[in-house]
Amino acid sequence: MKVLVADDDPISVLYLQDVLSEWGYQVVVAADGLTAEAILRQADGPLLAVLDWMMPGRDGIDVCHNIRQAGMERYVYMIMLTSRTETEFIVAAMNAGADDYIAKPFIAEEMRVRVRAGRRIVDLEQELRRQATRDALTGIFNRGAILDLLQKEIARRARTPECLSVIFADLDHFKRINDTYGHLAGDEVLREATQRMAAALRTYDAFGRYGGEELLAVLPDCDPEGALIVAERMRSAMADASVPTAYGEIAVTVSIGIASVSHAGAADMTGLLHRADGALYAAKLRGRNFIAV
Ligand code: GH3
Ligand code: MG
Ligand code: MG
Ligand code: MG
C-alpha cells in the first residue's frame, strides 16, 4: 500500500521513509503542501498520508481541509504530524479533516500502529465500495454503478467532440436454459457469458449488469462503427463456443442493441438507453444472435 509522506524537513522524511518501507509500505514523498495535495488528488494517489503540519506555502491543515472539500470518490486517511499537542491544535487538525495525529518527534512503534489503524479503515472502505458497486454473481458493475458511470461519461462527453456509445446485450432464450438445466446451470452460464463479453471490450469500456441477464456496456470515445466492432466480438464470443458447466455443455447466444451520441451538446441518459433498448428489441425480432443499431 502506498503512503504519502509530506514534510519540509529532509531528515524527518528520510527517517519516515526508512521505517515505513521497512514495514512494507511504498513511500511517496512531498517536500511541501502544494505537492502533497496534488499527489493525493491523482486518480491512483495514495490512500494513506502522513502530513507535517508546518510546511512552507500550504500547511498540513490546509491540505487536509482541501482534500476533504474536494469530494473525491475514494477516502484518504490522513495523519497529522505536529509538535503542537495542546488540545486546541488537535481539535483544529481534526476539524480540518485529519483522522489522527502524532506528536513530533514521534516514536517509531507508535507511528507503526497508527498507520496500521489507518490501513484498516482504508481496507474496510475499499471493501465496502466493492460490495456497493459490484454484482455478487458476476463480479461486474451492478446496475447503480454502471448507470452512475454512464451519467458521468455523458457529462464528460458534453465537453468534448468525442462520441459515446452504449451496448445493451440480452442472452437469448435464457428462460429455456433455466427450465432445461436448472437455475444453478443458468447462473454458471451467466457468469461465463459476462466474462467472455467483458474480454471483448476495450480497456476504458465499463460493463455492468443492468438487470437479470441484461448487460450494459459503456464505451467512451467510441463511434457507432467502433461500437459495432466491439459488439461483434461480444456476439461471436458467445456464438462460437458453448459454455461448459457442471450440468453439461450449454450453447447460448446473445442479442445486442447499440446507441451512440455523436454531436457535442446535451444528451440525456434515459433517451440513450431507450434507443439502445429499441435496437436490442429489433435484434430479437431479427431472429436473435444479432446486432442492431
Ligand atoms: P429472449 O431471447 O427474448 O431474451 O428470451 P429470454 O428467455 O431470455 O427472456 P427474458 O430475457 O425475458 O428472460 C430472462 C430470464 O432470465 C428470466 C429469468 O428467470 C432469468 N434470469 C434472470 N436473472 C437470472 C439469474 O441471476 N440467474 C438465472 N439462473 N436466471 C436468471
Ligand atoms: Mg515542517
Ligand atoms: Mg433474454
Ligand atoms: Mg432479459
Side-chain angles (χ1 to χ4, degrees), residues 169-171 174 211-214 280 284:
D170 185 290
L171 296 180
F174 198 60
E213 29 75 271
E214 202 158 326
L280 171 61
K284 292 280 183 188

Side-chain angles (χ1 to χ4, degrees), residues 70-202:
M72 284 161 38
E73 286 208 2
R74 64 219 162 72
Y75 190 77
V76 181
Y77 189 95
M78 293 179 285
I79 301 171
M80 191 71 81
L81 255 182
T82 174
S83 47
R84 315 292 303 262
T85 52
E86 299 95 313
T87 304
E88 59 189 291
F89 286 94
I90 295 161
V91 168
M94 307 289 264
N95 269 338
D99 294 284
D100 198 3
Y101 76 95
I102 300 181
K104 232 178 170 182
F106 66 87
I107 295 156
E109 203 49 33
E110 182 179 349
M111 176 65 76
R112 183 190 186 129
V113 293
R114 288 194 188 271
V115 171
R116 192 198 288 149
R119 190 186 180 143
R120 277 199 297 268
I121 300 287
V122 166
D123 285 346
L124 277 172
E125 198 268 342
Q126 286 190 312
E127 176 57 18
L128 260 180
R129 179 184 306 281
R130 196 192 60 76
Q131 286 185 18
T133 55
R134 295 281 162 174
D135 172 59
L137 177 68
T138 60
I140 62 176
F141 285 125
N142 61 25
R143 181 192 176 100
I146 192 70
L147 290 181
D148 265 5
L149 220 139
L150 175 57
Q151 192 71 75
K152 283 194 188 114
E153 279 306 325
I154 287 175
R156 196 181 67 84
R157 195 206 55 87
R159 301 188 298 270
T160 72
E162 302 301 334
C163 203
L164 168 72
S165 296
V166 295
I167 292 178
F168 249 140
D170 185 290
L171 296 180
D172 296 326
H173 297 305
F174 198 60
K175 240 181 298 217
R176 214 185 272 169
I177 289 171
N178 278 328
D179 292 346
T180 311
Y181 302 93
H183 270 82
L184 292 180
D187 286 354
E188 270 192 60
V189 171
L190 188 50
R191 250 198 309 262
E192 170 71 15
T194 56
Q195 268 172 36
R196 284 191 196 175
M197 287 193 267
L201 296 174
R202 308 165 313 161

Side-chain angles (χ1 to χ4, degrees), residues 33-34 51-64 80:
L34 212 64
L51 306 167
D52 183 27
W53 182 320
M54 304 296 274
M55 288 184 286
R58 192 161 297 176
D59 65 19
I61 287 277
D62 288 340
V63 174
C64 274
M80 191 71 81

Side-chain angles (χ1 to χ4, degrees), residues 6 14 28-29 48 50 57 69 72 88 91-92 107 127 180 188 227 241-242 248 257 269 275:
L14 273 179
V28 181
V29 173
L48 271 172
V50 179
Q69 293 299 308
M72 284 161 38
E88 59 189 291
V91 168
I107 295 156
E127 176 57 18
T180 311
E188 270 192 60
S242 57
M269 184 169 85
R275 280 196 284 132

